[in-house]
Amino acid sequence: MTGTDWAGWQQSWDRQQEWYMPDREERFRVMLDMVEALVGPKPRVLDLACGTGSITDRLLKRFPEATATGVDLDPALLAIAEGYFAGDERVTFVTADLKDPAWAARLPHDSYDAVLTATALHWLHSEPLTALYGQVAGLVRDGGVFMNADHMIDEATPRINAAERARRHAVMDRARTGGALDWAEWWALAAADPVLAGPTARRFEIYGEHADGDTPSPRWHAETLRTAGFGEARAVWASPSDTLLLAVK
């Protein structure tokens, strides 16, 4: 693999993420099912904290007439996304910090049919996430949708949480024997690549090693989104550890 094999890097990222979330494709399928059900097969989509563009990739394969704006701050993942989607006029990428109150001003559109995100906003603490939800509500058109698939932990069920985590990690340990890369190993490969080495170094200067955000419950997300201006919000898919929360404007 080289730094110019963008499809290879995209696939490698997906495999690394699937080690942590074997049901990742299922959440994406339900996400796009609900996009189609609520806003149709030609949506204008904001891929929020887009990373390598995993959501956008699946969106455009399923809905060829869709368009997408990907926004992220990670220079390495954005480099992969921009390389992978190079020449596709349906896709635009924007570099912006979601903690910056003015980040939405960088977007090419004032409103979107759908704002979608997955396994990203747990990097934020509850206060900036609340502020972000307010901004997202301003970007979603009336009748449009916001969906967030992420780690959402119900602290009222500690025994269930502990059992689920123990089982999940046991499965992950077994998968390691099959050669699955973890987060640190994947980033080590990126740092060793001549094209991605610079963006990877900048990425760790921005973010550090790990997320230090919060993982509030699905109920918290739903209530916060309704307060932000969405008319309805609830879970539409869940695994033992993660939830896909859907809000309709």
Side-chain angles (χ1 to χ4, degrees):
M1 185 187 299
T2 70
T4 56
D5 180 9
W6 300 119
W9 278 112
Q10 173 75 265
Q11 293 163 10
S12 176
W13 175 260
D14 281 343
R15 300 295 84 75
Q16 178 256 124
Q17 289 288 284
E18 287 166 2
W19 179 63
Y20 293 96
M21 297 167 289
D23 49 24
R24 187 167 178 256
E25 289 301 325
E26 179 68 8
R27 71 192 69 192
F28 287 150
R29 182 191 66 77
V30 175
M31 179 181 282
L32 296 182
D33 283 349
M34 299 312 296
V35 166
E36 185 174 25
L38 286 159
V39 300
K42 303 177 184 180
R44 176 193 288 171
V45 171
L46 177 61
D47 189 347
L48 192 69
C50 65
T52 65
S54 295
I55 291 175
T56 293
D57 187 34
R58 287 149 182 82
L59 172 79
L60 297 179
K61 286 175 178 174
R62 178 160 169 177
F63 306 124
E65 295 184 72
T67 58
T69 302
V71 59
D72 208 302
L73 186 61
D74 188 314
L77 298 186
L78 278 175
I80 294 170
E82 289 168 348
Y84 181 72
F85 290 99
D88 193 332
E89 295 182 353
R90 299 170 296 176
V91 186
T92 302
F93 289 103
V94 173
T95 300
D97 184 351
L98 298 181
K99 294 180 181 178
D100 178 355
W103 70 270
R106 295 175 176 265
L107 300 176
H109 305 291
D110 294 330
S111 69
Y112 290 85
D113 301 308
V115 178
L116 309 176
T117 188
T119 328
L121 301 188
H122 64 274
W123 283 75
L124 298 177
H125 288 289
S126 297
E127 184 174 347
L129 182 55
T130 298
L132 179 63
Y133 278 173
Q135 293 172 303
V136 167
L139 290 168
V140 175
R141 68 162 173 83
D142 287 347
V145 300
F146 168 69
M147 279 182 267
N148 179 15
D150 209 344
H151 314 313
M152 300 183 188
I153 307 300
D154 189 340
E155 298 296 343
T157 59
R159 289 182 294 169
I160 295 173
N161 299 347
E164 181 282 322
R165 187 178 188 279
R167 182 191 177 280
R168 175 162 42 89
H169 280 265
V171 172
M172 290 167 65
D173 288 344
R174 290 196 296 271
R176 292 281 283 156
T177 63
L181 294 177
D182 67 12
W183 173 269
E185 290 167 333
W186 191 90
W187 281 109
L189 285 179
D193 183 87
V195 174
L196 288 175
T200 298
R202 293 195 297 275
R203 183 249 178 239
F204 281 96
E205 289 174 0
I206 294 168
Y207 291 110
E209 291 290 337
H210 298 288
D212 63 350
D214 300 329
T215 54
S217 69
R219 179 178 178 179
W220 181 93
H221 286 272
E223 291 176 349
T224 303
L225 286 163
R226 285 191 290 266
T227 299
F230 287 92
E232 299 177 13
R234 71 167 176 87
V236 292
W237 174 92
S239 72
S241 61
D242 291 5
T243 296
L244 172 58
L245 208 295
L246 164 63
V248 181
K249 184 75 174 289

